[in-house]
Amino acid sequence: MTETRLRFPPSPTGYLHIGGARTALYNWLYAKQTGGKLILRIEDTDGDRSTEESIQGIIDGLNWLGIDYDEGPYFQTEFEEDHSNAAKILLGKGSAYKCFCTKEDLDSKREAALAAKAPLGYDRTCRNLSVEEIAEKESAGIPSVLRFKVPERSGLLGYDDEILGRIESNYKEIDDFVIVRSNGKPLYLLCNVVDDIRDRISHVIRGQDHMTNTLKQVLLYEALEAPLPAFAHMPLTLDTKKAKISKRSHGEIVAVQFYRDRGFIPWAFNNYLALLGWSDGNDQEFYTKEQLIQDFSLGRINKSSAIFNYRKNDPKFFTDPKAIFINEHYLRTMDISELAKLVQVELQADGLWDDAYGAEKKQWYETTLDMIRERFHTLKDFTTLGRAYFADDFIVEQKPLKKNVLKHEGLKEWFPELAERYAQLSEWTLEETERVARELATELDIKPGIIINGMRTVVTGQLAGPSMFDILIAIGQEKVIRRLKNVGILFA
Ligand code: GLU
C-alpha cells in the first residue's frame, strides 16, 4: 500500500479556531494511525488577508496541542509557478479557455436569467471562440480570465466521500468556472489542487464548507491527469442555535489560544476536539493518545453538525461544559509528576515558582498539588484558587469572608490566641493541630466549626477545599500562625 499523506492547509487570515484545530487533529490522527505523513501548508495566496501574526498563531496553536507535522510549513505563495504552469497546461490541452466577457456583460446576463427564471450559470459565450477571434480581442487589449471547460457528458460526475458516501451531480449543473483571474492570478480552487497533487496527498480531510469546490476539483484532477485523493468532508461546528461559530459572533472563546491561556491541558483539549464530531460508537469519554490513534476512524465521523455547547453569559461554564469536564478529569487524575510540570509553568508565569519545589520540597510540592487538584478545573486555578499554598498575596473571597469571619467578631481575639498556642507546638501534625483547635473551641464554649471554617477562610481565602487540618500541614506552621495573627486586617 502506498504511503498515506495528509495535509492541514489553513488560510492564515485569523487565529486557529476550534473547527480548524479539529480538522488538524483528525488529519494528524489519521496520519499517525496509518503510519503516514502530515504536511502543514499555509495557504497564503490571499495576500490582502494573510498576516504574519496569524501564521504564528496557527503554528503556536498546533505546537500547544502537540499536533506535529512531518513536512512544512510550506507556503502556497512559494509555488506560484506551479499554479501558473498548471493553468497553461489546461489551456494548452483544451481543458480551459479564455473568456473575455466583462463584469457588466455577466451582470446583465445574470439579471436577465433571473427575470426569466433561467439557469444562472455562465452561458459559455467564449467557450468556442475561434483562434482569430481570440487574437482580435487580445490585440484590442480586452482582458480575459481563464475558465475551465466542463466536459459535455451525460451521466453523473461524482466521488466517494469517506464520511458522506457517494456525492454526485450532473455535468450540466457545473458551471465553466474561472481558474485564473484577469490579472493573471490563479484562483484558490486550482492552487489547492495543484499543491495537493505536488505534495502527493492521498486523503483530503476537511470541512463540509469546502464541498462546493470538490466536484470542480475532481474535474481538475482528471484534466491534470492526476489520481484522485480520497475525500472526507467533516460536519461543521455550530453553536447551540445552529449558527456557524466565528470570532465575530462568539469572540475569543472559539480560538484555541483562549484555552491555552485559560489553563487547559493540551491533551484534554484534543480529547474534547476528538469527540466534537467523532465517536467510536460507545460512550467512552477519555482516550489516551495511543488509544485515540488506534480507535479513530473516518467512517465514524458524524455526518451531522457538531455542537459547540457554549452558553453565553453562564459564569459557571465559561465555555462548553464538556470541554471543562474533560479537562477536570485529566487535571484530577493525571500522573502527578506530569501535572507538576504543567503547574510549574503557571507558577513561573506568576512569579510564584521556587526552585526548591523541584528539589528538596518536591515531595511537598507534589503532595500539595495532589491534595488541592480535587476541586480544580483548569491549571489557572493553582495560581488563583490555590494561591495561598504558594504565596501570601491570595484573595479572600467575599462569601466565606462574610459567612465565616466577619459574622464572628470574637475571631479577632480567638485567632491570635490560637496562633500563640500553635506557636508552642513542637510537632506540626494533623492530630496536634486538630487537638489544639478543638480544645480552644471547648474552652470558649463555641462550636468547633466556627474555628475550623474561620481558619479555612483566613488561611486559604476559600469557602471549601481539602480537610482543614491537611491544609494546615500543607501551608506550614509559620504561615498559618502569621495568617491567624493578622485576622484583624480582614475586619478593617
Ligand atoms: N485553506 C482552506 C481553509 O483554511 C483549506 C482548504 C482545504 O482543506 O482544501 O479553509
Side-chain angles (χ1 to χ4, degrees):
M1 200 185 132
T2 50
E3 182 186 53
T4 51
R5 291 178 57 86
L6 285 291
R7 61 4 164 225
F8 177 55
S11 305
T13 54
Y15 50 90
L16 178 64
H17 58 81
I18 289 184
R22 189 184 59 147
T23 303
L25 174 67
Y26 288 12
N27 277 281
W28 180 86
L29 286 169
Y30 196 69
K32 294 276 173 217
Q33 182 178 79
T34 54
K37 299 260 186 299
L38 176 64
I39 289 138
L40 174 63
R41 182 172 72 227
I42 307 288
E43 297 203 316
D44 58 345
T45 29
D46 186 348
D48 296 342
R49 294 177 60 227
S50 302
T51 67
E52 275 303 317
E53 193 190 345
S54 166
I55 295 172
Q56 202 49 52
I58 291 167
I59 292 176
D60 290 349
L62 294 175
N63 281 344
W64 178 70
L65 287 166
I67 298 179
D68 52 354
Y69 33 92
D70 305 281
E71 290 177 30
Y74 297 140
F75 291 86
Q76 194 159 51
T77 43
E78 288 170 4
F79 299 100
E80 279 167 356
E81 223 180 287
D82 290 356
H83 309 146
S84 302
N85 283 341
K88 276 188 211 133
I89 290 171
L90 293 173
L91 180 63
K93 67 192 290 205
S95 294
Y97 60 92
K98 289 183 180 174
C99 167
F100 297 89
C101 296
T102 61
K103 186 172 177 306
E104 291 71 34
D105 290 342
L106 296 174
D107 285 349
S108 64
K109 282 180 188 171
R110 200 183 140 81
E111 270 167 42
L114 267 175
K117 296 206 164 70
L120 293 181
Y122 177 58
D123 67 357
R124 301 184 170 178
T125 303
C126 296
R127 186 165 160 132
N128 296 309
L129 293 180
S130 66
V131 179
E132 293 74 30
E133 283 169 310
I134 294 172
E136 202 178 297
K137 286 183 191 287
E138 286 193 318
S139 60
I142 303 175
S144 63
V145 300
L146 202 61
R147 283 186 188 272
F148 185 80
K149 196 185 266 181
V150 174
E152 276 179 324
R153 293 182 190 146
S154 57
L156 298 170
L157 166 67
Y159 62 94
D160 292 309
D161 192 289
E162 302 278 324
I163 300 169
L164 304 170
R166 184 85 189 152
I167 304 291
E168 290 176 324
S169 169
N170 241 304
Y171 279 90
K172 278 204 288 294
E173 272 155 36
I174 299 177
D175 218 5
D176 279 359
F177 51 98
V178 177
I179 53 175
V180 179
R181 290 193 186 84
S182 58
N183 63 8
K185 278 197 154 247
L187 261 91
Y188 166 73
L189 186 76
L190 174 64
C191 303
N192 185 251
V193 165
V194 170
D195 292 345
D196 281 346
I197 295 173
R198 186 197 52 251
D199 292 337
R200 292 176 287 116
I201 298 303
S202 62
H203 291 71
V204 170
I205 305 174
R206 62 184 175 192
Q208 283 177 11
D209 48 340
H210 291 288
M211 281 180 81
T212 47
N213 286 337
T214 311
L215 284 169
K216 293 174 186 165
Q217 292 190 322
V218 168
L219 290 172
L220 289 173
Y221 277 97
E222 184 192 72
L224 291 167
E225 294 168 41
L228 199 62
F231 287 101
H233 289 98
M234 310 188 315
L236 300 182
T237 311
L238 306 179
D239 70 9
T240 47
K241 296 199 182 88
K242 298 268 157 84
K244 216 178 144 184
I245 56 169
S246 72
K247 191 160 188 182
R248 215 176 316 118
S249 40
H250 300 82
E252 55 172 2
I253 189 107
V254 302
V256 164
Q257 219 166 319
F258 175 86
Y259 297 86
R260 183 193 64 195
D261 297 347
R262 285 289 192 120
F264 277 68
I265 295 166
W267 181 252
F269 199 64
N270 279 312
N271 191 147
Y272 165 71
L273 290 174
L275 297 182
L276 197 62
W278 173 87
S279 91
D280 70 356
N282 56 38
D283 292 332
Q284 185 168 340
E285 276 169 320
F286 309 112
Y287 289 85
T288 62
K289 195 183 285 186
E290 295 67 33
Q291 207 184 355
L292 191 59
I293 289 171
Q294 190 188 313
D295 292 1
F296 181 74
S297 62
L298 295 179
R300 291 211 62 92
I301 293 176
N302 300 338
K303 290 187 176 48
S304 52
S305 337
I307 301 296
F308 174 61
N309 186 10
Y310 159 53
R311 288 169 277 178
K312 214 173 164 182
N313 304 328
D314 182 341
K316 187 152 176 265
F317 297 113
F318 57 87
T319 182
D320 188 339
K322 179 107 186 195
I324 301 180
F325 168 70
I326 293 178
N327 200 59
E328 285 167 357
H329 167 82
Y330 282 97
L331 188 114
R332 295 170 191 181
T333 59
M334 74 193 290
D335 182 63
I336 200 74
S337 58
E338 288 302 311
L339 179 68
K341 283 186 225 150
L342 296 172
V343 177
Q344 175 175 350
V345 177
E346 298 297 330
L347 292 173
Q348 279 167 331
D350 263 27
L352 302 179
W353 174 251
D354 178 347
D355 282 339
Y357 297 161
E360 70 270 21
K361 288 196 194 160
K362 190 165 185 226
Q363 177 73 41
W364 172 86
Y365 174 55
E366 293 189 357
T367 315
T368 302
L369 296 188
D370 196 23
M371 177 177 94
I372 59 183
R373 68 172 165 174
E374 273 319 301
R375 285 164 186 268
F376 287 178
H377 315 284
T378 72
L379 295 169
K380 290 289 164 205
D381 292 342
F382 289 91
T383 52
T384 54
L385 306 180
R387 197 174 183 88
Y389 295 87
F390 306 102
D392 286 326
D393 63 345
F394 59 92
I395 288 172
V396 178
E397 290 187 348
Q398 281 302 313
K399 200 169 159 193
L401 177 66
K402 286 190 191 132
K403 184 169 164 219
N404 296 333
V405 180
L406 302 184
K407 242 173 71 186
H408 307 288
E409 281 276 329
L411 288 175
K412 276 197 266 190
E413 272 111 53
W414 305 336
F415 275 179
E417 171 59 26
L418 183 58
E420 287 292 321
R421 296 186 187 192
Y422 274 170
Q424 304 303 318
L425 285 180
S426 55
E427 266 182 81
W428 189 247
T429 60
L430 286 177
E431 298 72 28
E432 286 296 278
T433 48
E434 180 162 4
R435 178 183 60 76
V436 171
R438 289 194 186 276
E439 269 174 22
L440 180 66
T442 312
E443 278 174 40
L444 295 169
D445 193 21
I446 57 173
K447 286 200 200 111
I450 295 179
I451 297 284
I452 291 172
N453 293 331
M455 192 147 56
R456 181 189 299 284
T457 310
V458 169
V459 173
T460 70
Q462 298 291 308
L463 182 64
S467 142
M468 187 57 231
F469 299 99
D470 284 332
I471 293 176
L472 295 187
I473 304 307
I475 295 207
Q477 190 166 14
E478 192 196 312
K479 281 188 184 154
V480 168
I481 291 170
R482 193 164 60 229
R483 290 175 193 176
L484 289 173
K485 265 195 193 143
N486 289 340
V487 66
I489 298 172
L490 297 179
F491 285 89

